[in-house]
Amino acid sequence: MSVKTVALVESPAQLLNVVEWAHWARARPSVLVLAPANETSRWQLRTMAQVARSAGLTVSWHEPRSGGAAIARTVRALAGDLAGADRLVLGDPFSGVMQVVVSLVKPSEVTFVDDGTATLELARQWVAGEHLRRWHQVATTEQKRHIARFARDQIADSLRRRLEPSSGCRLTVFSCLPVELTQAQVITNDYGWLRSQYPKPVLKLGADLIGTSLVETGVVAEGDYVVAVASLAVRHRADRYLAHRKESPAKLARIAALGLRVAIPDRPLELFLRAGEVGSVVVSFPSTVVHTLPVVLAGTGVELLVCDIEPSWYTPDTGAHSRRFLGTVTSVARRQHGLASAAC
């Protein structure tokens, strides 16, 4: 008896991890892309969608954020795809849009794939019985605030009830991160598909700096961040800055003025570096890549360094929880992968 599997994704990294899960599970899910508003994210998602199709997956594109009634239209459009789904693969259980869609389905199995280090926070909140909320505060439009409030107060609890052990739904987490979730089966994502497709990257002389959207999410002050980038570039002889898909053009212009070549990858960084060229030294601030790249680039001769966030860089609005979370990201990566520090 065949199992109908449907995957819901909103970011390039989520789609890459669905491809990895499909490779591990020997499954061929139908992938429904719930397109984000950010233009760079959309560009990367379209590129990643072609990669997923070449890997044998069916991918369709949907626009749940194109207007006030867009979510309702998207739910109606997805009804046929979701009907009778035995297994759901979810890229972002924190997403209000995704929670609305999932609340209409009663699968027998749900698998969460990584959406960055937020998976660590998902596990903590799930075990603690808390509402599913992102670790940082992001400025949104009134429409998105309304969606988030509705999802937090009504849909998120519904999602939790649907996935409790008593519901009969089996919960699985497919992750590259050291996740501990007693109510779920945790499967390690070793990026087997990516490593099999691209045996070895090309090493270049200059170091790579990996950008982050901590400024855009209001966690770190822009001035301090740019000074830190300048210091790291000099100390580690970096020649390229790999921008995060949500970094602002104005900030990237300041970084380019430092003499760094700013590159905006057209696909998730793990795929971009494994399939292309990479510095023999890669320096990152606290982010998902300090967990994924040690796995993706293992055995290639690349040294990965992580730079902690100095307390003075945080904005006044950054709470203690966000600071602890970022500290956990780096401390766990150091413990798991033995990463060295990159001092500014």
Side-chain angles (χ1 to χ4, degrees):
M1 180 177 177
S2 62
V3 176
K4 181 177 180 179
T5 303
V6 179
L8 299 171
V9 302
E10 294 183 331
S11 79
Q14 293 171 28
L15 184 47
L16 172 59
N17 288 325
V18 168
V19 173
E20 290 290 349
W21 174 85
H23 174 77
W24 173 85
R26 298 183 180 179
R28 290 292 179 264
S30 297
V31 181
L32 312 180
V33 176
L34 307 179
N38 178 272
E39 286 300 327
T40 303
S41 299
R42 293 167 67 87
W43 170 54
Q44 292 182 348
L45 257 173
R46 291 193 185 280
T47 303
M48 191 60 222
Q50 292 301 321
V51 174
R53 292 185 181 105
S54 69
L57 307 189
T58 302
V59 183
S60 59
W61 189 275
H62 303 273
E63 296 281 359
R65 296 172 172 84
S66 59
I71 293 181
R73 288 197 302 270
T74 299
V75 170
R76 287 195 296 270
L78 297 180
D81 295 300
L82 292 169
D86 304 294
R87 179 167 53 192
L88 287 181
V89 182
L90 304 182
D92 184 8
F94 291 102
S95 164
V97 174
M98 197 171 290
Q99 289 175 357
V100 169
V101 174
V102 173
S103 69
L104 306 176
V105 187
K106 293 183 178 179
S108 58
E109 181 180 346
V110 170
T111 296
F112 292 147
V113 298
D114 276 335
D115 181 39
T117 50
T119 306
L120 295 173
E121 186 65 1
L122 165 68
R124 187 196 66 78
Q125 292 181 14
W126 196 274
V127 170
E130 300 176 3
H131 289 300
L132 300 184
R133 302 183 185 183
R134 300 187 191 278
W135 65 269
H136 57 75
Q137 295 293 321
V138 182
T140 61
T141 63
E142 181 58 35
Q143 177 195 0
K144 289 182 179 178
R145 282 197 297 268
H146 175 73
I147 293 171
R149 191 179 307 116
F150 174 71
R152 181 179 66 245
D153 296 341
Q154 300 182 45
I155 301 299
D157 281 347
S158 174
L159 176 65
R160 180 182 291 278
R161 287 194 299 272
R162 287 176 184 271
L163 300 183
E164 289 290 346
S166 59
S167 70
C169 180
R170 186 166 71 253
L171 179 61
T172 303
V173 178
F174 182 74
S175 176
C176 184
L177 300 160
V179 177
E180 295 181 4
L181 195 56
T182 56
Q183 296 176 331
Q185 178 187 12
V186 179
I187 301 166
T188 301
N189 177 10
D190 64 359
Y191 287 94
W193 174 85
L194 180 54
R195 291 185 292 105
S196 68
Q197 294 295 307
Y198 304 98
K200 202 169 185 179
V202 176
L203 296 185
K204 66 183 186 66
L205 293 178
D208 282 329
L209 298 184
I210 298 178
T212 175
S213 61
L214 290 174
V215 171
E216 286 70 21
T217 51
V219 174
V220 170
E222 181 173 320
D224 292 319
Y225 181 84
V226 174
V227 169
V229 168
S231 175
L232 289 168
V234 171
R235 180 179 292 270
H236 298 286
R237 299 181 181 179
D239 63 353
R240 184 171 65 167
Y241 180 89
L242 297 167
H244 187 279
R245 57 193 169 84
K246 293 184 179 179
E247 289 189 81
S248 71
K251 190 183 80 176
L252 293 179
R254 293 183 65 182
I255 291 171
L258 300 173
L260 286 164
R261 174 166 59 95
V262 174
I264 303 176
D266 65 345
R267 61 199 72 191
L269 196 58
E270 294 82 4
L271 176 57
F272 183 81
L273 293 180
R274 181 81 190 196
E277 66 171 13
V278 59
S280 56
V281 175
V282 176
V283 183
S284 176
F285 294 96
S287 76
T288 307
V289 298
V290 300
H291 290 273
T292 60
L293 289 185
V295 177
V296 170
L297 298 177
T300 63
V302 176
E303 181 184 13
L304 183 63
L305 307 177
V306 59
C307 179
D308 288 308
I309 303 299
E310 294 291 336
S312 61
W313 301 351
Y314 288 114
T315 64
D317 294 332
T318 303
H321 175 68
S322 294
R323 300 181 188 215
R324 284 194 301 269
F325 177 78
L326 289 174
T328 298
V329 168
T330 54
S331 64
V332 171
R334 286 195 179 97
R335 184 170 63 250
Q336 187 177 20
H337 302 293
L339 302 186
S341 297
C344 290

